[in-house]
Each structure stands twice: as C-alpha cells, then as structure tokens.
Amino acid sequence: MDRPTVHDLARHARVSLATVDRVLNGRPGVREQTISRVQKAIDELGYSRDTNAATLARKNPYRFVFLLPKSNTQFLDTLIAAIHEAASTHAALRAKIEVLQAPMRTPENALEAIQSLDPDALDGLAIMAPETPSIRDAVLNLQSNGVQVVPIISDLPNAASGHFVGINNVAAGRTAALLLGGFSNAHHGPVAVIGGQAMERSFVDRRLGFDAVMRERFPHLTVMPTIEGYDDAARVQQLVEKLIARQPDLAGIYLAASGTSGLTAALRQAKHAGLKVVAHDMTKASRAGLIDGLLDALIVQDVGHITRSAIRVLRALKDGLPISAAQERIRIEIFTRENLPDP
C-alpha cells in the first residue's frame, strides 16, 4: 500500500482537508470529537507526516540556537564542528542554526546567558548547562514564551524540557567502574574521580553510577572524594601531578569530564606503573593517550549524532510531532587501543 496522505486521512475520518490540517498543526477551532476521529484515522492508516515537506512549507525558517559553555576544550571544539556541519545540511530544510558560547563557571554566568536570549527571535534552544533552581526557572520561562528547549550532553530533568539528547550518564558511570575495576582487579588502593563541576548533572549521574558498581563489584578499591577539574586541561594536569605524588599506591583514575590533554600530559611525566585510567570522549588528546598506552579505555558519545538528533527533536517539538525514541537514542561506545577507529 502506498504511504497514506492527508487526503486519505480526510476520507477515512470523514472530515475536510482543512480540518485535518488544523489537527495536525494543533490549531484551535476543532471539536474534541473530531480530533479523536482524525487521531483514530492516523492510527488505523499508519499515517506519518513528512516533516521535511512541512519544514519547506514554512514561510520563515526555524531559528535554533546551541548555547554552550565558553571553555577551551577539545571536546567542545569537536561538538561545535559537528553543529556547523549539521547546520549546513539543515539550511536546505529552512533551519537557521547558531552557536552561542557563554561563561558558565558559576550558576550566575549560565543564568545571565539564558536570560540574554530573546524568545521572540527564537524557535528552539539546545543547551548544555548546569542544573540549578534559577536555571530551571529560566528554561521554564523560555518554554512559556513558545521556545522549545532540549538539553544536550548534560540533562536538566527538573526543567520539564521534554527530551534529553545525550548518553545515559548513570550507565556511562557504571560502565567506567566496570572497566576500571576490571583493569585494576589485582590491585588494592585508592581510585581518583575527576569531574568538571560537582553541580553538573552529567557528572552527578556518572558519579552515582560509578560509585554503585565500585561498591557492588570492587570493594577492595577505595573511591576518593571528587576532584573538580572545571574542564580546564592545565588545572587537570596540576591536579593529577599532585595526586600521583601524594598517592604512590593510586590504583586508578576516572576522568568523568573534559581535560584529557592535561591528564595525558601529567601521566607522561609521572610514568606511574600499573595505574589504570578511563576517560570520556574521542579527541586528539584522548586518541593519542590510547595509542601511547596512557589511557586504558574511552567512553564515547557520537557528537554528530547528538547535534543531528537535537535539531530533529527541536523541529518535532515545534511542529507537535512525535519523536522517534529509537532514532534519537545516543549509544555509549567503548574504545581501547585495540579497536580504535581511523581518524
């Protein structure tokens, strides 16, 4: 059977094309009974709206912004490159996509960046920011003004923003613990955990998952309190150098945030035999760290998939269309020196 059209819907529901259009686009002026008939026709016929055609039919392009921390990290560089690549593709589908970076070292910085956005000049916002009550309220305010908001990389679950685009960070932390604990199974000693900022939801979730598996599976390893690296490579390098000097029996390091270039620089200098290290994200520094044997494993999320997914989700939310959970699920990938992909 050919793909059902709006004409098929109208005939099946015994309504006009104009009524079908109002229901599909969520416009007022349609009785609940009529809406139910159209919805039933959609289910029975298996109708799926052509979102690309709907986008091209818009008089004005979508206006989407990616709001990211202003930080000099290789991970953000790869993410921004992926956004620009996706933006060039979506230009043909009438979507104007912009990247804004703002200081987010403190909640006040992040709040100021969100409040500087003009809701009247914006259809959707993909945001990577810490979760605080003030940021939650700022996000809710944008939504109340018609702006669709999708958190990426780090979730904002209390902001009712609908759909998170990123890996399951609790599962990522559990995976890191399984890897690090397995690599260090013959050793006894402390394990260090380095995050960005303690209040970042992505790190909170990773730490929760990591601690749970370490308690369950590797009680002979002692997990140390969180060290905040603020996604700053130079700071991470200094912290790791001091850590190794103070803890000669250190069994492992889990870098649950950015700053891999600083981590690998410190490891090259220290030459700590037997130290097992797990980090996140595929960057130039992390790739080199795997090749040189400084890192044992990387937990990776596909930034290209994340950016494309965020744009698709924003378009679907703006048009009131369903989101394909399977298509938008971001997988956790694990890389070692043995399965490292070509650059």
Side-chain angles (χ1 to χ4, degrees), residues 108-130:
E108 291 77 17
N109 292 149
L111 179 62
E112 184 178 353
I114 297 170
Q115 290 179 334
S116 69
L117 299 171
D118 180 4
D120 293 333
L122 194 60
D123 289 309
L125 174 67
I127 183 172
M128 179 181 173

Side-chain angles (χ1 to χ4, degrees), residues 225-308:
T226 295
I227 301 172
E228 290 184 302
Y230 294 112
D231 296 320
D232 184 318
R235 176 180 170 85
V236 170
Q237 180 176 351
Q238 292 175 356
L239 290 170
V240 173
E241 288 172 350
K242 292 178 181 178
L243 178 66
I244 292 175
R246 286 197 317 265
Q247 298 279 168
D249 61 338
L250 190 66
I253 296 175
Y254 172 35
L255 178 60
S258 295
T260 314
S261 61
L263 171 64
T264 53
L267 294 173
R268 287 181 200 282
Q269 302 236 356
K271 298 178 181 176
H272 189 300
L275 181 62
K276 302 303 179 183
V277 183
V278 174
H280 276 261
D281 304 317
M282 185 67 72
T283 65
K284 182 179 179 180
S286 61
R287 172 181 286 275
L290 277 182
I291 292 171
D292 296 341
L294 300 170
L295 307 179
D296 294 279
L298 278 179
I299 297 172
V300 176
Q301 52 191 325
D302 186 336
V303 293
H305 189 183
I306 287 171
T307 56
R308 294 188 299 272

